[in-house]
Amino acid sequence: MVREIQCFARVAARLSFSRAAADLGMSQPAVSQAVARLERVTGVRLFERSARTVRLTAAGAALLPYAEQVLESAAAFTAEASRLARPVIHLAYPPLAGPLAARIARRMAGRTPPVAVELHAAGRAAAAAALDAGEVSAAILATPAPARFTTAARFHVTVDHLAVPSTHPLAARAPEPHLTRPSRPAEAGRGEVRPADLAGLVVLTPGGRRWAGLPGHPRMVRDDDFGAALDLVAAGAGVLPIPHLLVRSVRRDDVVFVPLEGADLQITYALAWSRERVTNELLALVQAMQDALWTR
């Protein structure tokens, strides 16, 4: 019936059986027969025909909006069925790795055949739980990942800033707002923080990691969530070593980011997945992530 409705709507738009047939790639008799079948099924005359003209009847004009809705719904049905038929990978990732996750999704969409990637921002604990439950196919996790997962495509993120409350004495060492580094070498100890400056401070450590060799009193933040840890910084609960990647994307008035020099800190991430759930699409995801790490 959808084909008959399509012929009706096309003839109504063109007011010509021959032009409608050309649009649809059909013969004129086939279009005429389709409209006639629709008229028989509905019991309604849709067109007034003469030797030279075709025009809608009053009933045809009244039914045309419904025909257009049917065709729109049919097109939406076909598009959604096509999307559902495509393989889908569900990828969990920490917000820190959001740009990388987006590049991976674009690469997978550009494959032949394409593979859709559904992105799920999640902290370490939530991502690992989703992997265990089969809710995601893979996750970007800070290492060491739980031993039950297979990992590949490692990359390192340098931790080279310190987040402090805007009222903290160390906040005065932050560069100008429009600079990511001091415009000239630091003078009289200003413009940067060094590990020795953290002695006696509470140092927040997201995800339970310990910053080796960093003085201060560590305070564990349960999940690998820098956003939640920044809320603690703003509340005066401690200071937070943080990657420059986040410094560039976070804008808030209650926290200041100061360059951290000489600490040699980094976080290593890897793509992790359950060894019981390996598919061709997952292997393609591993390759896409490796390619994304090498190219921009």
Side-chain angles (χ1 to χ4, degrees):
M1 187 60 66
V2 172
R3 189 60 164 169
E4 284 76 9
I5 293 173
Q6 184 183 38
C7 290
F8 161 56
R10 197 70 231 156
V11 173
R14 302 289 273 169
L15 293 179
S16 167
F17 281 83
S18 60
R19 287 194 292 268
D23 291 347
L24 296 170
M26 300 171 61
S27 68
Q28 181 174 334
V31 172
S32 297
Q33 292 165 13
V35 171
R37 284 195 299 272
L38 186 60
E39 289 178 326
R40 285 196 302 272
V41 168
T42 59
V44 173
R45 186 170 180 82
L46 301 172
F47 295 102
E48 296 287 354
R49 305 169 178 85
S50 69
R52 295 188 176 182
T53 63
V54 174
R55 62 185 179 86
L56 283 164
T57 63
L63 290 173
L64 182 58
Y66 296 98
E68 292 170 343
Q69 290 177 15
V70 168
L71 295 176
E72 289 175 3
S73 296
F77 176 89
T78 301
E80 182 65 8
S82 177
R83 186 188 70 81
L84 293 173
R86 286 166 40 189
V88 177
I89 286 283
H90 293 267
L91 174 64
Y93 67 95
L96 175 66
L100 173 62
R103 290 204 304 275
I104 293 170
R106 290 195 298 269
R107 286 180 175 274
M108 294 290 282
R111 286 174 50 87
T112 303
V115 177
V117 176
E118 296 286 344
L119 298 178
H120 306 267
R124 177 185 171 88
L131 271 180
D132 285 331
E135 296 170 355
V136 299
S137 314
I140 299 175
L141 297 179
T143 62
R148 61 187 181 275
F149 299 138
T150 302
T151 60
R154 297 190 174 210
F155 64 97
H156 308 289
V157 174
T158 300
V159 178
D160 55 3
H161 277 69
L162 187 74
V164 301
S166 58
T167 56
H168 195 281
L170 290 177
R173 303 192 188 185
E176 294 298 322
H178 63 286
L179 299 174
T180 57
R181 291 285 183 178
S183 58
R184 57 184 180 277
E187 298 175 2
R190 296 176 64 82
E192 64 182 30
V193 171
R194 292 192 169 273
D197 297 318
L198 304 185
L201 300 180
V202 174
V203 181
L204 302 175
T205 58
R209 73 173 55 81
R210 291 183 178 273
W211 302 116
L214 203 63
H217 306 294
R219 175 182 171 181
M220 304 300 174
V221 178
R222 185 181 63 83
D223 206 355
D224 197 3
D225 185 347
F226 280 93
L230 284 173
D231 292 337
L232 293 176
V233 172
V239 298
L240 174 69
I242 192 169
H244 189 215
L245 284 173
L246 284 180
V247 173
R248 290 185 298 181
S249 61
V250 174
R251 296 290 182 270
R252 50 191 303 170
D253 297 330
D254 51 3
V255 174
V256 171
F257 302 103
V258 186
L260 177 61
E261 301 289 345
D264 297 324
L265 304 179
Q266 67 178 18
I267 307 171
T268 300
Y269 289 92
L271 185 67
W273 64 90
S274 172
R275 58 178 60 94
E276 288 81 25
R277 300 189 182 97
V278 177
T279 64
N280 290 334
E281 290 74 32
L282 176 62
L283 297 178
L285 181 75
V286 175
Q287 184 63 56
M289 179 163 169
Q290 290 173 334
D291 292 343
L293 290 171
W294 281 99
T295 60
R296 297 294 180 185

